[in-house]
Amino acid sequence: MRAPRAAAGGSGNEPPSRFRAGEVLICRVLEPRPGGYSVSVQRSELPGYVQTNMELDLGAEVAGSFLCIHRQLILLHYVCRSSCDLRFPAETEPSE
């Protein structure tokens, strides 16, 4: 019998994450890596990796969308610099 796999593409060996797929997390850029940057993630002791082809400043705070935890590494997709407005515009009521 196969062991159940972790949600969001994990290897199945990770503890359950308190993050949800797609949740936006704030990170600090540490150093460049192939295809992105290693980052420290607020609210977590685990190291992180944010995938992006954007050029980011070392030490900058950025927002990343949580993908999964793989081999004790938080994987994220770059969203924007943390100073960007992540709120969605309020829905407008239809005119009568």
Side-chain angles (χ1 to χ4, degrees), residues 53-92:
N53 59 1
M54 303 282 295
E55 188 172 321
L56 303 177
D57 297 326
L58 300 183
E61 283 194 348
V62 298
S65 176
F66 177 77
L67 298 172
C68 67
I69 296 177
H70 181 68
R71 296 185 178 170
Q72 300 299 308
L73 182 68
I74 298 174
L75 301 178
L76 305 125
H77 184 51
Y78 176 76
V79 174
C80 63
R81 299 189 192 286
S82 68
S83 60
C84 70
D85 187 0
L86 295 174
R87 294 173 291 165
F88 293 98
E91 290 185 23
T92 57

